[in-house]
Structure formats: structure tokens, C-alpha cells
């Protein structure tokens, strides 16, 4: 009995009680286990450029786009949603790899044009577009994804005023939800899009001066369930097909959205893309017969770039307070709001945190990782497991930080310098 006890204890520890781990990083490591970014040790990069620093690995972005392309039959188009990460160097990398950009402001329109996509390869969504933004979109020949009957009328008036035809698609608020999404943007009452049941009536009164471009559906973001994303794509296509019978002209495009998530927190797994591939294959096969002149578009942001980026921050201080170990860093919530849990999280959970000089060292000590701000909100991780020899001067890397990083953070808060951003 006593002989057996330790073995049983070990067995219990090995499985279910063990704290769930984060999905393993996809980055390369050097011979000492050090994190490599674009082939350079992250610690060297941090010294050369300075911290805090966002670094996005170009090779990993290319690999992820290649993976997504393999899921899509020939002719299905892939758009990148700029709001995930608008860094110009990243847009230049992505421009030739994708078929278009989704933009959500005149600022993003300019970034897209600068990176080399134009005209109908740009889809402009967003619930509140200013008149000057609509005018610029018309001038650029972008597809305006119209989100309300009022916006449709405003677009028609601006088009008439400027003496140019505008390309308008209707963004539909579907009569279904993308379940278990981190952010739901369709189904029920929404600020986004026109309720599906109102769409036939809007189509019946289509304003002259607007060219009908098609439909756009975006049901939600950050979903890790491949079956659910596949199901939403099937339902989105069926809804577009049904509404097309009321359209004033043959649709040029059905934009079916995306919603593929990445694993941010312990216990989350990478999304299984096999059900998505098979759903798109069957959608595309039926689509070719019924709508030979209508392009199919999928759009995604974080799935293309989120896992390829890290946030590098240097430890300024290590201290102990009433039994808890703290690391105080030079980067914080003002540069990485999402890691602090204040960007749409309901229950605060930790992003993965790695010791950049050695990803293989045993993570045996729990640290609370804080930024430099004078506010208790500035916590980058509450219970980061790291090796116990972390010291001031060490560089920490926060993973899954390639999307919704710098551009989604309140950089002016407390007047610290902005984080650097680099494609490597
Ligand atoms: C935010 C957004 C996206 C990108 O979402 P990800 O979760 O980053 O893929 C795509 N389309 C629309 C309309 C969006 O608002």
C-alpha cells in the first residue's frame, strides 16, 4: 500500500489535475531554447531596437496564409481585415498574398491604397461611416458594405453629388448566431448590418446611382470550434443565395466572413480547420453552378497574424509582497490592452508569457507580471508560470500578440512612449 502511493500520486499529477497549459508556441528556438524572431534571438532584437516592442515574424505570417489558401478551393478569395494589425510593413507583406483588404475607416482605406490594393478589392464596413469617408470610398472604387437603410440613402446622395456611381453591398445581420464566439457581431439585435428580414424591402427600393455589389455577412470573431465556423459559413451562403433572388442585379460578391480564432488562454486548442475546408468545398461547388459570376470572399484578421507576433518587454524590477512574486516591466496595458484583460474579456485570463532567453527552462514559479502604470489595471498576467531565476534585465515575450495589440491600446494613458513595432 505505502509502496504504491507515490506512483498513484504521480499518475494523478500527470493528468487531469495538472493546470492546463497554453498551446505551444509556433516560433523557432535557438540551440539554447531562446526564442527566435525572424531568425534573430528575441533578446538581441530587444537590445538592438529597444523595449517594449511588438515583433511579427514574416515567415509565420506567410505560412499561415499558405495554410488558409489550402483550405480554399480555386477562385475563393481571401481578404485581410486591416483592423487586426495595420502596421504598414505587414500590409505590404500581405498585399500580394491576399486578394483584398477589409477596411473600417478612411484611415484604413489610405493604408490599403498605400500597400497596393484598390478598387473593388477593398470592402468598407463599419456601423458609422462619415460623409467624407463615404466620399473617399466612392473615389477609390471600394465596395461599401452598407449597414443600414439610412446609410444606403446617404451613400446614394453622396454618389449623386459627386457625379460618380458607388459600389454598394448590403451587410446583413443574419437570423442566426455564430455560437461560442469571443465577440458576436450577428444574430439578434445588432448595430451591425441590416436585419435579414428587412433586406428584401431594401433591395426592392434600390437607389439609382448605386451599383449593387452583393452581400456581406460577418457573424462573429474568435471562434475556436471548426464545426461551428463551418456551420455559420454554410448558413451565411444559404442566406446570401436566398436574398439574391430579390436583388436588383446579379451579385458580384458574397462575402461570407470568417471568425476563426486563435488559442489565447490555457486549455484552449488551435481550431480544427478540416470541417471548414470541407464546408467551403461543398459551398463553392454548389455556388459555381448557381452563381457563376459571383465571387466568394472570406475575410479574416487575427487568424492570419495573431500567432505570428509577440510583445517583448523588459523586466525592470522583481519584488515580493506578502507571499506573491511580482515582475514589473517596461511595457504595460497602455501598449497591450488585450493582455491586461480589458479588451472584451469577460473573465480575466492570462495570455502566454515566455522567458525569451529560454523557452525550455522549467516554468516552476508563478509571477504576477505588471506594467509601469500607476493603476491596478496594469497587469499583463496574474499567474504567469516562469522559471524562478527571472531577474531585472530579462526580456519577457507575451505570445499571441500579432493582432489587436498596439492599435487596440490606449497609448496616451500616462504619457509613456509608444511601443515599437517591427516586422522581422
Ligand atoms: C473585426 C472584423 C474582422 C476580423 O476579425 P478577426 O477576429 O480578427 O478575424 C473581419 N470582418 C469584420 C467585418 C470585422 O469587423
Amino acid at each position: 500500500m505505502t509502496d504504491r502511493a507515490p506512483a498513484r500520486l504521480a499518475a494523478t499529477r500527470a493528468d487531469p489535475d495538472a493546470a492546463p497549459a497554453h498551446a505551444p508556441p509556433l516560433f523557432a528556438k535557438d540551440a539554447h531554447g531562446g526564442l527566435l524572431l525572424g531568425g534573430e534571438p528575441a533578446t538581441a532584437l530587444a537590445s538592438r531596437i529597444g523595449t517594449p516592442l511588438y515583433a511579427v515574424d514574416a515567415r509565420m505570417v506567410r505560412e499561415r496564409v499558405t495554410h488558409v489558401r489550402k483550405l480554399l478551393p480555386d477562385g475563393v478569395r481571401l481578404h485581410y481585415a486591416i483592423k487586426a494589425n495595420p502596421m504598414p510593413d505587414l500590409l505590404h507583406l500581405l498585399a500580394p498574398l491576399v486578394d483584398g483588404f477589409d477596411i473600417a475607416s478612411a484611415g484604413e482605406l489610405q493604408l490599403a491604397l498605400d500597400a497596393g490594393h484598390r478598387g473593388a478589392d477593398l470592402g468598407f464596413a463599419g456601423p458609422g461611416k462619415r460623409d467624407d469617408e463615404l466620399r473617399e470610398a466612392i473615389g477609390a472604387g471600394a465596395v461599401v458594405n452598407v449597414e443600414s437603410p439610412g446609410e444606403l440613402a446617404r451613400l446614394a446622395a453622396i454618389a449623386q453629388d459627386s457625379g460618380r456611381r458607388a459600389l454598394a453591398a448590403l451587410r446583413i445581420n443574419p437570423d442566426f448566431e455564430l455560437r461560442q464566439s469571443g465577440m458576436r457581431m450577428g444574430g439578434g439585435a445588432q448595430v451591425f448590418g441590416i436585419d435579414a428580414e428587412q433586406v428584401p424591402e431594401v433591395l426592392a427600393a434600390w437607389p439609382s446611382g448605386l451599383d449593387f455589389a452583393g452581400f456581406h455577412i460577418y457573424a462573429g470573431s474568435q471562434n475556436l470550434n471548426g464545426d461551428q465556423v463551418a456551420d455559420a459559413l454554410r448558413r451565411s451562403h444559404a442566406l446570401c443565395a436566398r436574398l439574391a433572388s430579390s436583388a436588383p442585379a446579379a451579385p458580384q460578391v458574397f462575402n461570407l466572413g470568417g471568425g476563426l480564432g486563435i488559442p489565447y488562454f490555457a486549455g484552449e486548442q488551435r481550431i480544427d480547420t478540416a470541417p471548414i475546408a470541407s464546408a467551403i468545398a461543398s459551398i463553392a461547388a454548389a455556388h459555381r453552378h448557381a452563381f457563376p459570376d459571383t465571387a466568394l470572399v472570406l475575410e479574416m484578421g487575427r487568424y492570419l497574424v495573431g500567432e505570428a507576433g509577440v510583445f517583448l518587454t523588459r523586466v525592470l524590477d522583481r519584488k515580493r509582497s506578502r507571499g506573491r512574486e511580482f515582475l514589473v516591466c517596461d511595457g504595460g496595458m497602455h501598449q497591450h490592452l488585450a493582455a491586461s484583460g480589458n479588451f472584451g474579456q469577460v473573465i480575466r485570463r492570462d495570455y502566454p508569457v515566455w522567458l525569451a532567453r529560454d523557452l525550455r527552462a522549467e516554468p516552476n514559479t508563478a509571477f504576477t507580471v505588471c506594467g509601469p502604470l500607476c493603476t491596478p489595471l496594469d497587469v499583463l498576467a496574474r499567474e504567469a508560470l516562469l522559471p524562478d531565476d527571472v531577474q531585472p534585465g530579462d526580456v519577457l515575450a507575451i505570445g499571441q500578440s500579432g493582432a489587436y495589440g498596439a492599435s487596440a491600446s490606449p497609448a496616451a494613458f500616462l504619457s509613456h512612449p509608444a511601443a515599437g513595432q517591427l516586422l522581422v
Side-chain angles (χ1 to χ4, degrees), residues 119-161:
D121 293 344
L122 305 178
F124 183 13
K129 307 178 189 79
R130 293 192 312 267
D131 286 0
D132 60 293
E133 292 182 301
L134 291 172
R135 210 169 291 120
E136 284 182 43
I138 294 171
V143 176
V144 178
N145 295 318
V146 172
E147 313 241 1
S148 76
E151 188 178 78
L152 190 69
R154 205 150 49 87
L155 181 67
I158 292 167
Q160 188 172 31
D161 222 44

Side-chain angles (χ1 to χ4, degrees), residues 132-335:
D132 60 293
E133 292 182 301
L134 291 172
R135 210 169 291 120
E136 284 182 43
I138 294 171
V143 176
V144 178
N145 295 318
V146 172
E147 313 241 1
S148 76
E151 188 178 78
L152 190 69
R154 205 150 49 87
L155 181 67
I158 292 167
Q160 188 172 31
D161 222 44
S162 58
R164 296 197 50 164
R165 298 189 67 78
L167 202 48
L170 294 187
R171 178 166 179 183
I172 304 166
N173 175 25
D175 45 8
F176 58 84
E177 292 172 351
L178 177 49
R179 281 173 299 136
Q180 287 176 19
S181 293
M183 290 193 190
R184 214 178 289 151
M185 297 166 77
Q190 288 288 348
V191 72
F192 305 108
I194 301 171
D195 292 349
E197 56 278 19
Q198 286 182 32
V199 168
E201 171 187 339
V202 173
L203 291 170
W206 192 256
S208 59
L210 296 186
D211 289 331
F212 175 69
F215 297 119
H216 175 221
I217 298 181
Y218 194 77
S221 274
Q222 183 48 25
N223 197 301
L224 290 171
N225 184 320
D227 288 311
Q228 284 182 10
V229 172
D231 188 48
L233 290 172
R234 280 195 210 90
R235 297 172 75 163
S236 295
H237 188 266
L239 181 55
C240 289
R242 181 158 62 73
L243 293 173
S245 63
S246 314
Q252 300 170 26
V253 62
F254 290 167
N255 182 336
L256 304 180
L260 289 77
I262 60 172
Y264 287 105
F265 309 120
E268 290 186 341
Q269 312 276 319
R270 290 197 169 83
I271 185 170
D272 176 9
T273 49
I276 299 172
S278 82
I280 298 170
S282 66
I283 291 168
H287 178 86
R288 269 193 283 272
H289 291 287
F291 300 98
D293 301 320
T294 307
L296 281 179
V297 173
L298 263 66
E299 61 183 14
M300 45 196 89
R302 80 185 78 212
Y303 190 70
L304 299 183
V305 301
E307 295 206 70
V310 293
F311 179 71
L312 298 178
T313 180
R314 201 177 286 282
V315 177
L316 298 173
D317 199 3
R318 175 176 174 166
K319 63 199 270 189
R320 206 178 156 77
S321 168
R322 303 201 168 122
R324 192 173 268 269
E325 295 283 346
F326 286 85
L327 297 173
V328 186
C329 301
D330 64 0
M333 70 173 291
H334 51 312
Q335 293 133 346

Side-chain angles (χ1 to χ4, degrees), residues 83 335-338 343 404-410:
K83 87 167 187 280
Q335 293 133 346
H336 200 333
L337 186 69
F343 187 65
Y404 305 107
S407 69
S409 300

